[in-house]
Amino acid sequence: MATTSRLDRTRPAPAEAATARPRRGRRSSPTLNFWLFTSPFLIGLVIFVYVPIGWSVWLSFFEARFTVTPDKFTGFANYRQMLDNGNFTGALLTFTVFAALIVPTTWALSLGLALLVNRMRFMRAFFRSVFFLPTACSYVAASLIWKMSLFNGVRFGLANTVIGWFGVDNIAWLADPDPPWYWLVLVTARLWLQSGFYMILFLAALQNIPQELYEAAEIDGAKRGWQTFRHITLPQLRATSTAVILLLLVAAYQAFDEFFNLLSKTTWGRPPLVELYYMALGQNQDYGAGSAGAVMLTLLICVVTLFQGRLMGFGRGEESR
Amino acid sequence: MSASSNSNWSRRSLFRAAAGMAAAGTLAACGSNNGRGGGSSSGDHLVQYFHAYGEAGTEQAIKKYAKAYPKADVSTQWITGSDFESKLFATLLTANAPDLFEFHPQIQLVKSGQVADLSDIIDPVKSDFNQADIASHTVDGKIYGVRMIDDPQFFFYRKSMLEKAKVEVPQTLDELIEAAAKLTTGKVKGAFLGNDLHAVINPLIWSSGADTLTADNRPAFNTDGVAEGLTKMRKLFTSGSLLLGAPADYWDPSAINQGLCAIQFCGMWAMPAMQQALGDDLGVFPFPKAADAGKPSVYNGGWSMFVNAKGKNVDAAKEYVKWLWIEQKKYQEDWALSYGFHIPPRSSIAASATKLQSGLPAEGVKLFDQYGHFDNIGWTQAMITATENVFADCVRKNGDPKASLDTAEKTVSAELKKLFG
């Protein structure tokens, strides 16, 4: 009823609309509005994203040591150098493995947290905030805490204190690569920092699942718990899961801060970006080779995410909602 | 219906918030600190880069000297964090590059035209400098940096702990390994050489009877002696008597001061802080002989002032360097002796440095004179990294020393070819 009456009111007004239109046009045409609102972003995008990408691609074909305006064209020499560089290709391989492990782990942990928090009868807001808070913490600050107080190698480090209760000797978590305890430090830091954010995404998606579905399932005799989770919750979270996995994959390949801060002077556990940083910035100032590596890394991320999108149907329109 | 109006609303508010954020971002960019100080356009503005010294009062001292300079407004960037060289190298390429900075002599900075020739300001007082410091800053007869301080690095040990464990001061690396084992108890580790051991790389090379480069700039570190030294270092690293993963690294005296270790590799700069914490319970010894052909060694590190030749104020920056690091001997002395202990590179100041002439500091100076190796300007950051990788691969990891040394030699040769042709 309400809908019809509203439609009726707008219908007999073509003349009014004609007078109104020019006034609206003078104040703001849709085109002007569009550019007004989007141009700050577009300008930023062009200056801070597209120009550097283009510049980087251009640099990758030049010998650019100690300069970003080189003049010596070297073709694919930088690419060849990077592919010959065992450290870089090793880092790509290591981080493909790293991504394969950390992505499902973070996914599962954040989904688990979301399910727990969603079930909460009381203090839900409190726990939601508590789990989300680490997202606001800087990776560098977290790395320093992990390195200096939780996982330092001396007897009063938190981790060593705890294993000391069970009579286990102190472990130099980060200094000694055999056995590779440093992965434990890196992975826990990453999980702590990231899970909360993805938990919020899952939480939002969980709250969007219509209650009717669960009611219908109950009527049809589905058991609460695993059965409903497997056949209702999980399929309903598909779009969010896909997005989360996509973001996690990109984040895994772009890992930098905690690795850079936790591992110093190592030849192991270096993500591609740290490798590139050392190559292009810190010491060699070789922007050509660094750019070549960056281009290859970008391509790899694109390929992996496209493949993943294919596999899980990201952006397949209505069906993937 | 209500859903659609809701989404309209949120889209609009999102745009508005985003536009606001973009505007705020632009404003923030305008206000960003470019390190050039504010205000007046009269006189020159100079920016200098210093790494963060650990000793109390150092930052204030550097700023105090700058403030006393009448001819230009000098602002100081105090760079914290452990990768000073990365930040320095990265900034040098930009418009915000400092006009002058402290660093170590490295020839690629000269070859790329990054640092200015300072011969004209140093020449008049050249004979008053430690000649080794002059040599390490000279390329083709031109001097490119003014040494501010010399920092010998060696071992400090707790006399009481060695006595209690009936351990003599180690004369060889083997004895150091033994001593570390005997000194290790439930709460104290025998020795601390830093968390990643990079500080003892050059001393190990020298004490194994080799050198980084030959006099005509060829790699000289890939010898059987060094390989032997590396094998011993691996033994020490895996012995369980080395303190690893300490909250503060080797350059900070905390580990020995807090009783975490009996022997610590550190530098002359930390001596006052150690003496304050431990009193007379402190001795020093050089990095011991690591292979038959070697002898004990000390790395005479330090910091020098360089002028950015690509900066806008090269002349004004040179004027300032001349004023402070050539003329103002009071400040130079203050800088070398009032915070940490450093050996003044100026003979006239060193001669009057009474603080360094007795007791433990005098022993440190003796090690500096007797076993010291100064910087080699041809030994650049890329080569340093190559040897750091050797340590990572065959001391911290169980790699083959000879193979790692071969890899490093390849890298170093490639760098040398780029630099010297």
Side-chain angles (χ1 to χ4, degrees):
Chain A
M1 269 310 276
T3 330
T4 342
S5 74
R6 221 184 269 169
L7 280 174
D8 282 343
R9 220 181 291 155
T10 49
R11 195 175 285 168
E16 259 176 41
T19 54
R21 210 169 276 150
R23 216 178 72 201
R24 263 187 89 201
R26 236 180 293 131
R27 276 179 57 202
S28 51
S29 79
T31 329
L32 184 74
N33 265 343
F34 173 77
W35 288 112
L36 194 69
F37 281 113
T38 51
S39 61
F41 293 108
L42 286 179
I43 292 170
L45 199 66
V46 167
I47 293 179
F48 295 110
V49 177
Y50 292 131
V51 168
I53 290 178
W55 198 328
S56 185
V57 172
W58 180 70
L59 276 175
S60 68
F61 293 106
F62 285 81
E63 183 183 320
R65 281 170 73 86
F66 290 95
T67 175
V68 285
T69 49
D71 43 23
K72 197 170 155 204
F73 184 79
T74 55
F76 281 94
N78 286 325
Y79 288 89
R80 218 168 298 133
Q81 186 196 334
M82 289 308 293
L83 288 174
D84 282 344
N85 182 333
N87 289 342
F88 182 68
T89 44
L92 288 181
L93 189 72
T94 312
F95 276 77
T96 305
V97 177
F98 173 69
L101 293 175
I102 192 78
V103 170
T105 318
T106 320
W107 178 84
L109 184 67
S110 27
L111 179 57
L113 284 176
L115 289 169
L116 283 179
V117 171
N118 200 35
R119 273 290 178 82
M120 285 268 162
R121 292 279 162 78
F122 51 94
M123 290 184 43
R124 189 195 277 189
F126 171 76
F127 281 104
R128 201 171 50 203
S129 315
V130 163
F131 289 129
F132 182 69
L133 263 181
T135 307
C137 179
S138 122
Y139 275 56
V140 177
S143 309
L144 289 179
I145 294 168
W146 249 249
K147 180 181 188 168
M148 291 160 92
S149 47
L150 301 188
F151 286 99
N152 68 32
V154 296
R155 61 172 189 277
F156 49 73
L158 182 70
N160 277 339
T161 309
V162 171
I163 63 171
W165 294 337
F166 303 98
V168 182
D169 270 348
N170 289 350
I171 293 175
W173 302 96
L174 290 163
D176 190 350
D178 294 312
W181 284 115
Y182 60 92
W183 281 116
L184 178 74
V185 184
L186 290 162
V187 167
T188 48
R190 202 173 183 80
L191 285 176
W192 184 77
L193 282 161
Q194 291 194 338
S195 312
F197 175 71
Y198 298 106
M199 177 203 75
I200 291 287
L201 296 188
F202 277 124
L203 207 52
L206 281 175
Q207 286 166 1
N208 255 351
I209 301 176
Q211 207 52 44
E212 292 87 342
L213 282 177
Y214 291 104
E215 286 162 8
E218 207 160 345
I219 290 167
D220 287 348
K223 286 190 208 82
R224 276 165 169 266
W226 176 249
Q227 212 167 17
T228 38
F229 174 74
R230 167 75 185 76
H231 294 285
I232 296 177
T233 315
L234 215 50
Q236 286 290 313
L237 289 177
R238 181 167 162 172
T240 311
S241 283
T242 315
V244 165
I245 290 175
L246 185 88
L247 291 171
L248 281 171
L249 263 178
V250 175
Y253 277 106
Q254 290 187 340
F256 184 87
D257 303 53
E258 74 272 40
F259 289 83
F260 182 75
N261 285 292
L262 286 172
L263 299 172
S264 67
K265 319 264 184 205
T266 64
T267 50
W268 53 86
R270 280 190 187 176
L273 274 188
V274 170
E275 208 63 68
L276 288 177
Y277 173 83
Y278 282 123
M279 180 154 299
L281 281 179
Q283 328 191 312
N284 295 342
Q285 302 277 291
D286 192 342
Y287 292 91
S291 298
V295 170
M296 287 191 281
L297 180 62
T298 312
L299 285 178
L300 184 68
I301 294 179
C302 287
V303 168
V304 170
T305 46
L306 281 178
F307 176 71
Q308 183 254 351
R310 242 309 140 74
L311 214 63
M312 301 197 52
F314 187 55
R316 237 187 247 155
E318 208 53 30
E319 184 216 346
S320 70
R321 176 103 56 88
Chain B
M1 294 149 288
S2 72
S4 99
S5 83
N6 254 349
S7 87
N8 259 339
W9 165 245
S10 74
R11 205 175 302 149
R12 204 177 300 154
S13 65
L14 221 126
F15 263 132
R16 204 176 291 155
M21 263 161 69
T26 324
L27 287 177
C30 292
S32 82
N33 178 6
N34 59 9
R36 300 212 172 240
S40 75
S41 55
S42 67
D44 287 311
H45 294 288
L46 296 173
V47 178
Q48 56 177 353
Y49 266 34
F50 274 79
H51 87 284
Y53 286 74
E55 293 78 39
T58 42
E59 184 177 2
Q60 290 79 356
I62 285 295
K63 289 184 172 162
K64 181 182 78 185
Y65 312 150
K67 211 172 172 197
Y69 184 56
K71 285 200 238 162
D73 169 21
V74 184
S75 61
T76 307
Q77 296 269 304
W78 196 252
I79 311 292
T80 51
S82 57
D83 56 339
F84 175 67
E85 70 268 9
S86 314
K87 282 172 190 154
L88 174 68
F89 287 168
T91 332
L92 282 177
L93 291 170
T94 68
N96 281 334
D99 299 293
L100 55 160
F101 55 90
E102 66 163 5
F103 199 55
H104 318 288
Q106 290 192 0
I107 201 167
Q108 83 279 14
L109 293 172
V110 175
K111 296 267 175 181
S112 62
Q114 185 71 67
V115 292
D117 174 15
L118 302 180
S119 307
D120 51 333
I121 65 170
I122 299 171
D123 273 336
V125 291
K126 199 171 155 184
S127 58
D128 189 36
F129 270 93
N130 187 328
Q131 289 311 298
D133 281 327
I134 293 290
S136 68
H137 291 71
T138 304
V139 177
D140 297 330
K142 291 178 183 158
I143 308 169
Y144 286 92
V146 182
R147 195 62 151 183
M148 300 181 291
I149 43 178
D150 282 325
D151 292 326
Q153 300 178 13
F154 38 69
F155 284 103
F156 292 81
Y157 66 94
R158 298 279 298 271
K159 285 181 173 166
S160 61
M161 289 187 178
L162 268 69
E163 265 165 38
K164 205 175 149 205
K166 301 201 172 57
V167 172
E168 294 292 313
V169 175
Q171 304 296 321
T172 64
L173 188 51
D174 291 320
E175 286 180 26
L176 178 66
I177 297 170
E178 265 173 56
K182 282 187 196 160
L183 288 163
T184 301
T185 65
K187 296 200 163 171
V188 182
K189 290 284 187 184
F192 180 48
L193 277 66
N195 290 328
D196 51 40
L197 310 179
H198 78 270
V200 298
I201 297 174
N202 281 11
L204 179 80
I205 292 174
W206 293 317
S207 288
S208 305
D211 203 344
T212 49
L213 299 174
T214 60
D216 58 345
N217 292 315
R218 303 258 155 257
F221 57 86
N222 187 1
T223 66
D224 292 339
V226 175
E228 188 191 330
L230 287 169
T231 311
K232 288 176 186 168
M233 285 301 298
R234 172 74 186 163
K235 192 175 156 200
L236 179 59
F237 185 80
T238 51
S239 65
S241 42
L242 213 53
L243 176 63
L244 291 169
D249 213 347
Y250 83 98
W251 48 264
D252 188 289
S254 304
I256 194 166
N257 284 358
Q258 294 172 357
L260 293 175
C261 61
I263 300 175
Q264 179 181 344
F265 190 82
C266 195
M268 186 88 171
W269 58 83
M271 202 181 265
M274 288 186 196
Q275 284 181 312
Q276 203 180 359
L278 306 170
D280 288 336
D281 186 13
L282 200 62
V284 293
F285 65 92
F287 193 92
K289 186 171 127 170
D292 286 338
K295 35 179 206 190
S297 68
V298 167
Y299 169 49
N300 292 344
W303 292 91
S304 322
M305 221 51 218
F306 295 91
V307 169
N308 177 9
K310 294 176 177 171
K312 293 179 210 95
N313 304 305
V314 178
D315 290 327
K318 275 172 86 168
E319 269 301 299
Y320 177 65
V321 172
K322 185 182 174 198
W323 175 80
L324 179 54
W325 299 110
I326 302 284
E327 290 167 0
Q328 299 298 317
K329 287 194 173 181
K330 272 259 172 325
Y331 288 149
Q332 291 162 36
E333 191 182 349
D334 180 62
W335 184 235
L337 301 169
S338 300
Y339 312 98
F341 281 162
H342 312 267
I343 296 177
R346 301 284 292 270
S347 320
S348 55
I349 298 175
S352 65
T354 46
K355 281 182 185 169
L356 302 182
Q357 283 162 1
S358 60
L360 197 65
E363 284 178 50
V365 174
K366 208 172 133 197
L367 296 181
F368 169 84
D369 290 332
Q370 206 172 343
Y371 302 112
H373 293 255
F374 285 81
D375 280 316
N376 181 341
I377 195 166
W379 188 247
T380 62
Q381 204 65 44
M383 307 180 197
I384 293 169
T385 308
T387 49
E388 282 171 359
N389 289 347
V390 170
F391 255 60
D393 283 339
C394 63
V395 176
R396 293 169 70 189
K397 277 204 157 183
N398 195 17
D400 174 39
K402 207 63 196 149
S404 311
L405 285 170
D406 286 343
T407 313
E409 183 172 357
K410 226 183 277 168
T411 314
V412 170
S413 299
E415 280 303 309
L416 287 167
K417 195 150 179 266
K418 279 180 202 156
L419 292 166
F420 299 101

